[in-house]
């Protein structure tokens, strides 16, 4: 099998690349990544020396970066995206470009250069908008409510349109909130773990009662591999951890895990347009044989331990550009 993994140096992409490289040593893997602030070459150290691994520095929005990599590729797995909601509120430019134009560019290049290739496109549960009651099935209407989720919805609607009009071979995956090793320390769980380790306050938005459906990143990788093997082309699949937790509970668990006083949790001004709850019905994927492997609390403990043991990985990421973002975004909140 020959894979092109776009965005393979980011959080979910690098976890997937390492997982596939371990499991299928005979598969050829090309990672294309533009190495934005979240794309880290060091996330791929484990696979760098491997014979059938190639890293290419490039941008999915540039056809000349994508096209030469496509001949002979069986699957393109597209993780490349701008993903952090708060940054999309501050400026949505890069989101529209990468999450919409990038997807279009990949598909156009594939139609010309790998007509036999298939696309596994990563979308998000956020395309449904907030889900106050019940769990979203794949047939629910898309109702994104922030610039990030709207861009992701735009990208995946283009994929659907190519499936419909060009008989384009693609599967769309909509995972819920991923967490685990190598997540950039701006997302909720790694931000709270690393802030707690640095003895900084933990800025909890609004009343802290928002709910996310947590999915351990390795379970997500297993699901994606399963979709390549058994998924139906042209279909959409939810990947939900089925582990709904209020943010405040997750924050308290992190404090407990690290022996930090819960007073470190500070309720701060809410994120504008904050979606109250996400929850997915993953029955379609479960019917292929997938289920999360361990309870959320166990995976959270493992994740906390990873950040405790990998200070050298995250510490530098919290300086420089991130520090400026933190000052701008949290300055008035904290
Ligand atoms: P986040 O990791 O940004 O993911 P999502 O895309 O689901 O918003 O945030 C997860 C939840 O944590 C979300 O409800 C917002 C909340 N949150 C805070 O309360 N404080 C923070 O500083 C951050 C980054 C997130």
């Amino acid at each position: 099998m020959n894979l092109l993994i776009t965005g393979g140096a980011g959080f979910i992409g690098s976890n997937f690349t390492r997982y596939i490289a371990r499991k299928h040593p005979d598969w050829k893997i090309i990672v294309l990544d533009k190495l934005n602030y979240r794309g880290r070459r060091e996330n791929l150290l484990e696979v760098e020396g491997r014979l059938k691994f190639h890293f290419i520095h490039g941008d999915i929005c540039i056809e000349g970066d994508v096209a030469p990599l496509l001949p002979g590729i069986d699957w393109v797995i597209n993780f490349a995206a701008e993903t952090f909601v708060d940054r999309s509120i501050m400026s949505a430019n890069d989101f529209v470009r990468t999450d919409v134009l990038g997807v279009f560019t990949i598909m156009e290049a594939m139609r010309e250069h790998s007509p036999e290739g298939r696309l596994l496109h990563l979308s998000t549960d956020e395309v449904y908008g907030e889900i106050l009651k019940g769990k979203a099935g794949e047939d629910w209407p898309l109702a994104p409510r922030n610039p990030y989720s709207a861009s992701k919805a735009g990208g995946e609607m283009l994929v659907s349109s190519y499936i419909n009009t060009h008989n384009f071979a693609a599967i769309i995956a909509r995972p819920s909130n991923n967490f685990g090793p190598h997540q950039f320390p701006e997302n909720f769980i790694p931000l709270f773990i690393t802030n707690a380790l640095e003895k900084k306050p933990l800025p909890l938005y609004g009343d802290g009662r928002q709910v996310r459906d947590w999915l351990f990143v390795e379970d997500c990788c297993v699901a994606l591999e399963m979709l390549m093997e058994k998924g139906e082309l042209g279909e959409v699949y939810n990947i939900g951890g089925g582990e709904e937790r209020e943010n405040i509970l997750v924050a308290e668990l992190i404090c407990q895990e690290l022996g930090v006083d819960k007073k470190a949790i500070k309720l701060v001004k809410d994120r504008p347009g904050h979606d109250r709850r996400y929850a997915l019905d993953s029955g379609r994927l479960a019917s292929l044989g997938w289920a999360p492997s361990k309870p959320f609390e166990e995976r959270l403990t493992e994740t906390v331990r990873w950040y405790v043991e990998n200070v050298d990985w995250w510490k530098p990421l919290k300086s420089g550009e991130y520090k400026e973002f933190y000052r701008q975004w949290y300055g008035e909140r904290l």
Side-chain angles (χ1 to χ4, degrees):
M1 193 81 94
N2 293 326
L3 307 186
L4 172 60
I5 303 178
T6 52
F11 165 44
I12 311 180
S14 67
N15 273 280
F16 182 78
T17 303
R18 292 193 307 272
Y19 168 78
I20 289 291
R22 257 181 254 141
K23 189 142 178 228
H24 304 283
D26 53 324
W27 289 10
K28 186 178 148 198
I29 301 172
I30 303 175
V31 163
L32 173 70
D33 200 295
K34 82 168 182 185
L35 301 177
N36 75 350
Y37 72 103
R38 290 179 70 117
R40 317 295 311 175
R41 213 45 209 268
E42 58 268 31
N43 287 346
L44 295 169
L45 270 181
E46 185 188 314
V47 292
E48 285 278 357
R50 198 173 169 269
L51 220 53
K52 291 184 171 177
F53 174 79
H54 304 276
F55 178 85
I56 309 288
H57 186 204
D59 184 347
I60 58 164
C61 298
I62 300 172
E63 185 164 12
D65 285 0
V66 182
L69 310 178
L70 287 172
I73 291 292
D74 299 301
W75 278 98
V76 175
I77 304 103
N78 180 34
F79 295 94
E82 294 294 335
T83 59
F84 189 47
V85 173
D86 294 338
R87 290 197 192 239
S88 83
I89 294 167
M90 284 175 85
S91 164
N93 242 295
D94 291 347
F95 290 77
V96 177
R97 182 171 183 273
T98 301
D99 301 3
V100 183
L101 179 66
V103 181
F104 164 75
T105 309
I106 289 175
M107 290 193 296
E108 280 298 306
M110 284 180 74
R111 288 180 67 210
E112 192 173 337
H113 300 279
S114 61
E116 305 297 317
R118 288 152 285 173
L119 171 68
L120 175 54
H121 175 66
L122 272 281
S123 182
T124 165
D125 62 351
E126 299 198 21
V127 295
Y128 298 114
E130 67 179 3
I131 297 159
L132 297 176
K133 279 202 195 114
K135 289 169 181 275
E138 288 85 351
D139 299 331
W140 277 38
L142 304 193
R145 291 166 20 102
N146 62 57
Y148 158 66
S149 53
S151 305
K152 289 299 285 184
E156 76 147 272
M157 283 178 112
L158 267 178
V159 178
S160 300
S161 78
Y162 272 52
I163 292 168
N164 187 50
T165 49
H166 298 304
N167 209 15
F168 188 78
I171 292 176
I172 294 167
R174 293 185 188 140
S176 61
N177 280 68
N178 272 248
F179 71 105
H182 294 269
Q183 186 169 28
F184 192 88
E186 67 185 356
N187 284 98
F188 173 52
I189 288 181
L191 175 70
F192 275 36
I193 297 171
T194 56
N195 272 16
L197 288 170
E198 293 181 307
K199 313 228 174 310
K200 289 183 181 156
L202 315 182
L204 191 62
Y205 295 154
D207 62 2
R209 300 275 171 203
Q210 298 82 8
V211 171
R212 295 294 183 264
D213 176 351
W214 293 102
L215 172 65
F216 187 61
V217 64
E218 222 173 274
D219 290 329
C220 181
C221 296
V222 172
L224 295 170
E225 183 195 21
M226 194 172 279
L227 290 183
M228 285 169 27
E229 276 171 17
K230 303 191 208 166
E232 201 177 316
L233 287 175
E235 271 298 351
V236 179
Y237 291 86
N238 285 341
I239 312 176
E243 297 272 36
E244 289 177 46
R245 298 288 183 281
E246 285 188 346
N247 290 339
I248 189 153
L249 178 93
V250 177
E252 286 173 0
L253 283 172
I254 290 170
C255 289
Q256 197 179 310
E257 199 66 48
L258 289 169
V260 166
D261 193 327
K262 286 178 190 159
K263 285 199 196 100
I265 302 169
K266 294 265 176 292
L267 290 180
V268 299
K269 192 176 113 195
D270 209 349
R271 162 194 286 172
H274 195 172
D275 288 339
R276 194 80 189 155
R277 174 174 174 262
Y278 300 132
L280 290 181
D281 176 343
S282 306
R284 187 174 286 170
L285 181 64
S287 70
L288 300 183
W290 179 85
S293 54
K294 288 186 195 173
F296 170 72
E297 282 70 16
E298 249 177 81
R299 291 304 196 181
L300 185 66
T301 303
E302 289 175 26
T303 303
V304 169
R305 198 179 320 134
W306 189 85
Y307 282 87
V308 168
E309 288 168 2
N310 288 277
V311 178
D312 291 351
W313 180 85
W314 59 262
K315 196 98 183 172
L317 303 180
K318 293 190 91 170
S319 61
E321 186 273 342
Y322 180 71
K323 225 171 169 171
E324 183 47 30
F325 162 78
Y326 196 88
R327 198 188 55 74
Q328 274 187 41
W329 184 257
Y330 293 101
E332 57 149 6
R333 288 185 161 81
L334 285 168

